[in-house]
Amino acid sequence: MHDTLPLSGGDAALASLSGPSDAPTPAAAEVEPDKTRALIVKLLITLVVLAVAVTLWAAQELFIPIVFALLLSYALDPWQRFLRRRRVPAALAAAIVVLTTLAAIGATGWALRSQADAFIASLPATARQVRQAVQGSSGKPPAAVAQMQEAAKEIQRASAPANTSAAPPGVTRVQVEAQPFSGADLIWKSGGGALLIAGQALAVVVLVFYFLASGDLYKRRLVKIAGRTLTQKRVTVEILDDIERQIARYLAARLAVSTVVTVATTAAFWWLGMPQPGVWGIVAGLLNVIPYVGPAAFTVGASLAAFVHFGTAAHAVLIGAASTAIGTVEGFLITPIIMGRAGGMNGLAVFLSLTLWGFLWGFWGMLLAVPLTMAMKVLAEHLEELNGLGEFLRE
């Protein structure tokens, strides 16, 4: 029977150098749970983002007026604060600001009513001229278009049911034919859309009034429910103040840029003999709010209208060149000077935001894309979990 002898100092040192033991260390045991937890968090964030995107797309009739009214309230808030400093009650100050804004819009429309009426009255004639230009002097579509139409008819005949024999005796065969296009039916059917737009416009006006009249009420409520600790409340206040400050600066700068574009386009089109230059100037200022896409669409539309009106390609090129020159000066000189770092986002982030919000909300999404993405950037810069998104959006 052998007795177990204790290891000497040298033997203990040799045993310690022989290699790690089979038992896992605490650090190694914690690696796998940490990876699993991180994967689960990323999966949950992805699912939440997808759920939010689907909700925004499905309920866009609800969210678009709210977001648009919130942005308008940011733009009108300085005037409301000016009245409040003169001891005007909040509700009365909000009513004065909203009614004054509506009166200014109405006065502008009334001043341009003759040009607007002429512009609308010229649309049918413009459509006819475009159709004649496409069909040519013979009144028939070009050969390529005619071939495509013939191919479409052949495909339609090939996909029709093969059994076209006469009906059995005693059975009357019924064929439903599509009715021709009717402008009256189109106007009647589009009445619902007009009512929807009018209802949303009224909702925007009412929401702007309540946002202005409430002042900091909703901000205080958000701070109250944001968290119990003082640090959480402080971070919430910083986020709300930063969002409000950046969006207000962006809207003020964008209004200044659009005003410059409106005046320049009106003057240039008037000098070139373009009809209704005031209407075209306002359209240019409104479309300029949408980066990249708006100025390009305006240039194409103005060039086409000039070609139809003057009947020569030279005038179309001249109007297009004028629009391009104004857009170039605005994009490379005026906007950097006036807006500065109001947006604070890089060009790729702006383009991707236009694509995303345009996909979700169409034209209104493209119009609201930059302010919404700015709010997301501010939120990402203040939350450690979203720092990666903030770094991607930052200029």
Side-chain angles (χ1 to χ4, degrees):
M1 185 173 180
H2 300 282
D3 295 331
T4 301
L5 298 178
L7 294 176
S8 62
D11 293 336
L14 182 62
S16 64
L17 295 175
S18 61
S21 61
D22 294 335
T25 61
E30 293 177 358
V31 171
E32 292 299 328
D34 289 342
K35 290 183 178 180
T36 304
R37 190 180 301 110
L39 182 61
I40 292 175
V41 170
K42 292 181 180 179
L43 180 60
L44 290 176
I45 292 176
T46 303
L47 292 177
V48 169
V49 170
L50 290 177
V52 170
V54 172
T55 303
L56 291 174
W57 174 79
Q60 54 183 293
E61 289 83 3
L62 172 65
F63 288 110
I64 290 177
I66 295 176
V67 175
F68 195 66
L70 186 61
L71 292 177
L72 286 178
S73 66
Y74 279 136
L76 299 176
D77 186 66
W79 302 103
Q80 193 258 0
R81 292 180 182 273
F82 173 80
L83 294 176
R84 290 296 306 277
R85 287 194 294 266
R86 269 63 182 176
R87 301 186 182 276
V88 178
L92 180 58
I96 292 175
V97 171
V98 171
L99 293 177
T100 303
T101 303
L102 292 176
I105 295 174
T108 303
W110 180 261
L112 296 174
R113 69 188 185 281
S114 59
Q115 295 190 23
D117 291 340
F119 180 80
I120 295 174
S122 65
L123 291 180
T126 301
R128 287 194 299 269
Q129 293 180 15
V130 171
R131 184 177 68 250
Q132 293 174 0
V134 172
Q135 292 179 349
S137 58
S138 62
K140 298 181 179 180
V145 178
Q147 291 176 2
M148 292 178 64
Q149 292 177 349
E150 185 64 26
K153 292 179 181 178
E154 291 294 337
I155 294 174
Q156 184 177 6
R157 283 195 289 267
S159 61
N163 187 13
T164 58
S165 60
V171 178
T172 302
R173 183 179 179 184
V174 178
Q175 182 176 359
V176 180
E177 296 183 357
Q179 295 182 355
F181 173 79
S182 173
D185 292 340
L186 178 62
I187 295 175
W188 177 260
K189 293 178 181 179
S190 63
L195 290 177
L196 177 62
I197 294 175
Q200 290 182 339
L202 179 61
V204 168
V205 173
V206 175
L207 286 172
V208 169
F209 169 77
Y210 278 112
F211 282 144
L212 292 175
S214 62
D216 295 334
L217 175 63
Y218 294 104
K219 182 186 295 186
R220 293 195 301 268
R221 297 287 174 82
L222 287 175
V223 172
K224 186 176 181 179
I225 66 177
R228 297 181 178 180
T229 64
L230 183 61
T231 302
Q232 292 174 332
K233 295 180 182 297
R234 179 179 55 81
V235 171
T236 303
V237 172
E238 291 178 356
I239 291 175
L240 294 176
D241 289 343
D242 203 2
I243 290 176
E244 182 177 357
R245 181 169 53 253
Q246 290 203 20
I247 290 181
R249 288 191 312 184
Y250 169 79
L251 292 177
R254 179 53 64 188
L255 177 61
V257 172
S258 296
T259 302
V260 173
V261 171
T262 298
V263 174
T265 303
T266 301
F269 279 26
W270 173 81
W271 184 68
L272 293 174
M274 188 72 174
Q276 296 87 41
V279 175
W280 284 107
I282 292 177
V283 172
L286 293 176
L287 290 179
N288 184 259
V289 177
I290 305 176
Y292 309 128
V293 179
F298 176 78
T299 299
V300 173
S303 300
L304 180 61
F307 175 74
V308 171
H309 176 73
F310 294 105
T312 61
H315 283 87
V317 172
L318 195 60
I319 292 294
S323 303
T324 303
I326 294 174
T328 302
V329 173
E330 175 268 328
F332 291 95
L333 180 62
I334 299 176
T335 296
I337 293 177
I338 295 180
M339 294 192 67
R341 302 180 64 85
M345 293 189 302
N346 60 75
L348 178 61
V350 172
F351 185 79
L352 291 179
S353 68
L354 289 172
T355 304
L356 173 62
W357 288 105
F359 173 77
L360 291 177
W361 289 351
F363 169 79
W364 294 109
M366 298 178 68
L367 186 64
L368 302 172
V370 175
L372 288 173
T373 309
M374 287 176 57
M376 293 173 57
K377 181 180 75 70
V378 172
L379 187 64
E381 290 175 345
H382 285 83
L383 298 180
E384 185 178 356
E385 296 82 359
L386 300 177
N387 281 344
L389 178 61
E391 187 64 29
F392 173 76
L393 297 176
R394 191 177 297 114
E395 187 176 13

